[in-house]
Amino acid sequence: MKVAVVGATGLVGTKMLQVLAERQFPVDELLPVASAKSVGKEVIFKDKPYKVVSMEDAIKAKPNVAIFSAGGSTSLEWAPKFAEAGITVIDNSSAWRMDPTKKLVVPEINADALTPADKIIANPNCSTIQMVVALNPLHKAYTIKRIVVSTYQSVTGTGVKAVTQLNNEREGKQGEMAYKYPIDLNAIPQIDVFLDNGYTKEEMKMVNETRKIMRDDSIRVTSTTVRIPVIGGHSEAVNVEFAKDFDLAEVRRLLTEAPGVEVTDDTANAVYPMPLTAHEKDEVFVGRIRRDASNPNTLNLWIVSDNLRKGAATNAVQIAEFLAGKGWL
Ligand SMILES: NC(=O)c1ccc[n+]([C@@H]2O[C@H](COP(=O)([O-])OP(=O)(O)OC[C@H]3O[C@@H](n4cnc5c(N)ncnc54)[C@H](OP(=O)(O)O)[C@@H]3O)[C@@H](O)[C@H]2O)c1
């Protein structure tokens, strides 16, 4: 199995190498790819150095799969070239997610939508993945009518530059800014660009991707996404209204049994999920499970996950594992 990791020098790409090794994905040959300025640099995989190669050389080497985390414009330009060469692309950017001809996959929910003909497969947005992993089993049981979500997102969701900005601010150093404003001691209510409807692009990703993954366009979603000075993962306060009423004990049971979910909810002992405890874990953690006292059939949840893992690298590797298991790579 030849595996190309495109964006191998970035935050997600580095995590991808770590997750491929940890999950023992059967990599016989690794092709790390990054921008022209990084060609020849070394990345480490399973304690061994590998030289970064160019896009052109990666295509010539004909890997079985190429996992892209190199930004939307790179994916738009290069994913079709890999696919034309017969290479299956799993893409972490937003480039292909809402393309009706491409599958948007969270393996716990809709891996069954994949076929051997899918050559460019989209990995959803990090904040969407963790929310739908927790909500899908509840949607099946009680039918979601409306989701109101507010996020508290880690700077690692922006990439290397943002982590550097936060560290520089903490050390009192001047440096390149990933955000328009200081992020330390701050909360920035803007993730990605503003759209004509007043929402940001990140907020609309949560609306549109949720419907596509859960295969239900009737679900109403409204989202406010906020960047905070945190490293370990994204947190989300989720208010969800169902068509049917629910029993709280059954909600807990459904979440406990849901693949990829871990219930962390013991308020008597101040136990709930936090980025510090979700960091470097693959699960989606759910706590603060309670009935919304202000509205019928409505539930409040607090959902936390490591955005670089289940929100990006782990989900992509799980897609690759599914394809390999089917013999489609
Ligand atoms: N961070 C997250 O939580 C998260 C979650 C889901 C999806 N994503 C998506 O994953 C992608 C990468 O995010 P990141 O946080 O890892 O960013 P990052 O740390 O800034 O890394 C970007 C990577 O892309 C490479 N790259 C940039 N331009 C390229 C080009 N023209 N050709 C080849 N490689 C190029 C960079 O290589 P150089 O080092 O050579 O510049 C680097 O390896 C983005 O599309 C992002 O939306 C991120």
Side-chain angles (χ1 to χ4, degrees):
M1 178 84 70
K2 277 191 203 177
V3 179
V5 173
V6 180
T9 53
L11 275 190
V12 176
T14 305
K15 192 60 68 182
M16 198 72 71
L17 297 176
Q18 186 189 331
V19 171
L20 283 166
E22 277 173 19
R23 295 178 73 96
Q24 301 187 8
F25 190 77
V27 182
D28 299 310
E29 192 178 332
L30 176 76
L31 298 157
V33 187
S35 74
K37 76 171 197 291
S38 300
V39 171
K41 276 190 191 166
E42 283 181 350
V43 298
I44 304 293
F45 176 64
K46 292 190 172 174
D47 299 327
K48 275 175 46 191
Y50 286 79
K51 280 214 180 343
V52 171
V53 301
S54 67
M55 290 285 203
E56 291 85 354
D57 286 347
I59 293 178
K60 275 189 216 142
K62 288 247 173 154
N64 302 72
V65 60
I67 309 180
F68 272 61
S69 313
S73 53
T74 308
S75 288
L76 276 178
E77 182 184 349
W78 287 94
K81 295 181 185 169
F82 278 69
E84 275 160 31
I87 303 157
T88 301
V89 172
I90 301 170
D91 182 41
N92 267 296
S93 80
S94 58
W96 306 100
R97 290 180 189 150
M98 293 315 296
D99 181 327
T101 67
K102 307 287 182 290
K103 309 287 167 57
L104 180 65
V105 176
V106 176
E108 290 88 342
I109 302 175
N110 63 344
D112 60 308
L114 290 168
T115 71
D118 292 312
K119 283 293 170 203
I120 299 177
I121 299 161
N123 204 56
N125 170 260
C126 41
S127 27
T128 308
I129 293 179
Q130 67 182 70
M131 185 171 81
V132 295
V133 165
L135 292 190
N136 191 58
L138 303 180
H139 181 50
K140 280 196 204 153
Y142 312 116
T143 312
I144 294 174
K145 282 171 66 177
R146 180 168 186 250
I147 300 166
V148 182
V149 53
S150 302
T151 70
Y152 306 69
Q153 294 185 220
S154 157
V155 292
T156 57
T158 313
V160 172
K161 260 193 210 165
V163 178
T164 306
Q165 179 183 331
L166 176 62
N167 289 336
N168 282 345
E169 287 174 24
R170 291 204 169 158
E171 290 161 19
K173 287 201 299 208
Q174 294 294 317
E176 201 183 347
M177 299 278 281
Y179 306 111
K180 186 171 178 196
Y181 300 103
I183 184 63
D184 198 20
L185 307 175
N186 204 5
I188 302 177
Q190 175 183 359
I191 298 186
D192 212 327
V193 294
F194 282 104
L195 303 172
D196 289 344
N197 64 1
Y199 286 81
T200 63
K201 214 165 160 187
E202 180 86 352
E203 288 161 352
M204 291 312 296
K205 284 177 196 169
M206 294 194 78
V207 175
N208 297 323
E209 294 182 23
T210 295
R211 292 174 173 161
K212 182 165 175 177
I213 299 160
M214 303 210 331
R215 293 182 267 220
D216 188 342
D217 285 342
S218 72
I219 299 173
R220 288 179 290 145
V221 185
T222 186
S223 166
T224 303
T225 58
V226 181
R227 189 73 67 191
I228 58 166
V230 150
I231 299 273
H234 293 346
S235 305
E236 299 176 345
V238 179
N239 179 269
V240 52
E241 182 181 347
F242 298 103
K244 299 177 205 155
D245 198 9
F246 55 84
D247 173 62
L248 260 191
E250 192 187 46
V251 165
R252 279 173 196 281
R253 183 179 60 74
L254 289 171
L255 288 170
T256 304
E257 290 170 0
V261 175
E262 191 164 316
V263 173
T264 308
D265 191 26
D266 176 11
T267 48
N269 291 301
V271 171
Y272 29 71
M274 295 180 289
L276 271 180
T277 47
H279 190 38
E280 289 297 348
K281 310 254 171 61
D282 282 327
E283 293 83 0
V284 170
F285 297 89
V286 184
R288 302 294 322 276
I289 303 166
R290 65 206 189 278
R291 199 174 266 285
D292 176 348
S294 73
N295 204 43
N297 305 351
T298 304
L299 184 72
N300 284 312
L301 301 170
W302 175 248
I303 302 173
V304 183
S305 193
D306 186 329
N307 53 296
L308 291 179
R309 293 186 70 104
K310 184 57 185 165
T314 303
N315 199 72
V317 174
Q318 285 175 310
I319 295 172
E321 287 169 350
F322 178 86
L323 299 172
K326 291 277 184 193
W328 295 344
L329 288 183

